[in-house]
Amino acid sequence: GADTEVTLELRDAAAEAEVRAQLAAVSDTLLLVLPQLAEIVIEVDDAEPRRLADVGERWRTVTRTGELDAALLAERPVEERVRTGWQVTWAAPRSAVGWPRVIHAPTPTEEPCTLPALLIATFPLDPTRRHVAPGRATDAIVAAAADAYRELAERITLESDDGALRLVPVGLPEGRLDAQLHSAVV
């Protein structure tokens, strides 16, 4: 029931142009990454407000949560070892709309994902926060992601005759983690 308004005073025209570009790029992905948000309203100057809401009408999602065994986190930095909870969400658009082709953890990483759905997962990240750190915790989350992907395909199959065929992995993976996901899904 709460509303939050963010008002920005920008230092120059370049900053204004950058913020306008970022606001124009806000999409359903933000609502999928932050499921607690019901609606986003973007108002810029006197233009008609842009509203994003009802993401469930445009996307099919499957979310899984769980706890990692402490032994899987032994190789992670000390501050991460206490965060044993994990979450995986797959989102597939109901229409032919595109989606980001990178893994979100939960912010966008530079890890490609060639599977035809958006993956949002609490993967452990490297110090740059741009890549998923390899290790046993990542392996466990990949296994959970593969199981959730199967459930997403099953749900889509129940809703339509050919919709789940879009989720069949085709082509070559584009990186280590993408290959690991492909293998686990298959």
Side-chain angles (χ1 to χ4, degrees), residues 7-154:
T7 304
L8 302 174
E9 293 185 27
L10 303 171
R11 67 181 171 270
D12 58 26
E16 181 179 335
E18 178 64 24
V19 169
R20 284 180 188 278
Q22 290 177 6
L23 289 173
V26 171
S27 67
D28 281 349
T29 303
L30 186 57
L31 289 171
L32 292 165
V33 169
L34 300 171
Q36 299 83 357
L37 291 179
E39 179 180 49
I40 299 170
V41 179
I42 300 172
E43 297 178 10
V44 179
D45 299 329
D46 295 329
E48 185 71 26
R50 187 164 65 103
R51 297 183 185 285
L52 293 171
D54 305 319
V55 73
E57 293 178 10
R58 293 181 298 283
W59 295 80
R60 292 178 181 97
T61 63
V62 169
T63 299
R64 295 276 178 87
T65 61
E67 295 287 324
L68 291 172
D69 185 283
L72 298 177
L73 297 166
E75 61 200 25
R76 299 300 305 149
V78 173
E79 63 275 9
E80 290 183 27
R81 293 181 200 162
V82 296
R83 294 190 298 262
T84 59
W86 59 264
Q87 180 172 326
V88 168
T89 298
W90 282 103
R94 292 182 186 271
S95 66
V97 176
W99 59 91
R101 304 284 183 171
V102 295
I103 293 170
H104 286 61
T107 57
T109 68
E110 292 179 2
E111 298 286 352
C113 184
T114 57
L115 293 171
L118 171 62
L119 174 58
I120 304 161
T122 54
F123 284 112
L125 298 175
D126 73 359
T128 68
R129 307 220 26 96
R130 304 304 301 157
H131 295 280
V132 173
R136 296 180 343 169
T138 294
D139 296 345
I141 295 171
V142 165
D147 193 46
Y149 194 83
R150 176 201 47 79
E151 183 180 334
L152 179 64
E154 287 174 356

